[in-house]
Amino acid sequence: MWKDKRPILFGGDYNPDQWDDAVIEEDMRLFEQAGVNLLVLPVFSWAKLEPEEGRYEFAWLDHILNKIWEHGIHVFLATPTSAQPAWLSKKYDDVLPVDIAGRKRTHGMRVFFCVNSVHYRERARALAEAMAERYRDFPGLAGWHVANEYGTYCYCENCQRKFRDWLRRRYGTVEELNSRWHTSFWGRTVYDFDEVMVPDERNDDYRFAPAVQLDYMRFVTDSTIECYENEAEVLKAATPHLPVFTNISGFIKKLNQFEMVPHMDYAGWDNYPAPTDEPAFPAFKHGIMRAARDGAPFLVAEQSPNQQNWQPYNKLKRPGEIRRIAYQGLAHGADSSLFFQMRQSVAGQEKFHGAFIAHCGANSRIFREACALGQELHKLGDAFTGSRIHARTAIVFDWENWWALELTSGPTQDMDYLKQVFRYYRAFYAQNIPVDIVKTSTDLSGYDLVLTPLLYMIKPGFAEKLRTFVEKGGTAAATYMSGRADENDRCIFGAYPGPLRDVFGVWVEETDALYPEESVELVMMGTESGFPEKRYEGRFLCDLFHTDTAEVAAVYGKSFADGKEQDCFYTGMPAFSVNAFGEGRAYYIGCEPDDRFLARFIARICREKGITPLFPVEGEIELTCRENENGRFVFAISHGKETGKVHLDGDGACPGKRYFDLLREKEVSGTYVIAGGDVAVLKEL
Ligand code: GLA
Ligand code: ZN
């Protein structure tokens, strides 16, 4: 096992139970050639490890693990509990889930069990115990990977019972439940917890009641945490010195990862950007994952070395693309670059999914790119693992707010919290200003600038925290759809943004939804510096708000539909304002402004706080900086075709001037020229 610090983990999911010895031998040779230092297995082998209840067959796994270790490769041992064997589904009625339509599902799918099933949990724990017992001293063991991409929503009778117990614990009395769920609306009063139903499709009232849905999502998250802990506890007890985690699907919405991940030693997530995603989008998701453990390094647990099979159009990765994707993860705080999968399978649903070794064998462009990446990562070793990113700006992202905003009926069908928050993230990203995604529970005192886009749900304590932050000199910015509801989705009377009204110095009277083809002008009053153009464009939703103490910085101007002017009764009303509060400032943005406005706005509020980009650049270059006991590491990734420049000697947030280029092994300073599509890791000297 690695004695001190771990190098960047490089390798990925390996399913050797599909292969004979000759293939495994060949794989070992190729993995060594590629510089692989970690394999994750056996993710889906429960059926093979426990062919009948209580009878374990570990010999085949021993054999493979020994072979792997003979080649000096470490493993994350996976409890294969995301795909239960047929005998388990058949023998115990509580194992298979009941779906939202109320249908009891049949066996045959992975991640397809009720997380509250007593028998599933019993057998999963027993298997985890048997594995821990057998492999706790295996020298190549580097950590445990529990199950795979949790995310099943079940609506069975057992879940219903447990949901009622969960509510009893949360609310104590039915009176409290009635008040929190505001059941007097539509006469849904509950007289006994036993009358609460799961919000499946047989029950439209519950299915569309946001308060019920919200609690069900919280309940499923808690149940999944219990299900994870059921195994993790056993593994942790056997090997307290080793990390335990599960990999998180890139479609992260349905489980609250900010609740789940703190139970793990790593946030490990599966990064599968769509070919059409702009590079800022995976960067944003890395930021969310980094936030889950308050800035600690995370893992990229899966990414594809080439195409997917499940996207509508499965594009090949372009030459150099895997390298950029891998470095982007590292640049944003990952300590690994792990892939799904090492060898393409012969058959099955994913037979056309990319792999290090594809059906054509290792004489391939992709394998050569994997080898080149492996060699580079080997060279980087453990220099920056464990390092963190330091940002003075933060964007608040709240999982339950995500659920609540999108569960709400109105004001628009196009609500997409992730996408909306991303626009604010991208404005920082485009200017290479480090920004942290933070939770509502994060201590804000270390930041100078905090944005809370669409923070509709204000949880207890948050308003006070933001108020103190601004009072003490911080700059805050909020948008339309802010401060509307409490954690049970009960709206706040006394005008939005509710408890933040005094901080922003505004109150919202109404909100207009725009059709996708509609826009409204934002006309600057000329009071705010940094907005050279007088007119910008707003879309999506328009808050009609009034100022108490805030100064109006822009008003709504003309309204257009498909570029044609139309009547607008709120022309001249405030659209954007700034409030001096305590020693700080609080901005309110009444509608969704265009990118031009956002770029100006972010630059303006950063400048005011003395926050600058890491370095001045020319060209499409993404910059980040990680820091550990070895010093500062600057990552530069070119996403353009043209040659770009990083002015290391320019004025920026990164004070260093002389660097060592770790990949090219030479000292650099002044203007660093980076070829189109290339990457660099520079260590400050
Ligand atoms: C997910 C799963 C993997 C595999 C990949 C394919 O992330 O965890 O087992 O199915 O997708 O992209
Ligand atoms: Zn269930």
Side-chain angles (χ1 to χ4, degrees), residues 39 62 94 96 105 148 152 158 213 239 301 309 345 355 364 377 404 432 478 481 528 545 583 595 599 613-614 636:
L39 294 170
D62 296 350
D94 64 335
L96 288 169
R105 303 308 298 264
N148 195 71
T152 306
N158 186 29
Q213 279 284 1
T239 55
N309 62 291
S345 49
S364 71
L377 299 186
N432 286 315
M481 290 304 283
E528 276 291 294
F545 69 94
E583 287 165 31
D595 288 339
L614 285 167

Side-chain angles (χ1 to χ4, degrees), residues 262-281:
H263 292 262
M264 300 167 198
D265 294 310
Y266 280 120
W269 83 286
D270 300 342
N271 177 26
Y272 292 102
T276 46
D277 284 347
E278 50 188 306
F281 195 57

Side-chain angles (χ1 to χ4, degrees), residues 41 58 102 134 139 209 232 241 262 343 362 390 413 445 447 474 488 504 570 585 611 651 658:
L41 74 162
F58 283 122
R134 192 167 190 100
H241 57 295
R343 179 181 275 275
H390 296 285
Q413 65 168 13
S445 63
Y447 295 99
N488 289 101
F504 291 93
Y570 46 87
R585 284 159 79 81
I611 299 167
D651 283 339
R658 287 173 49 243

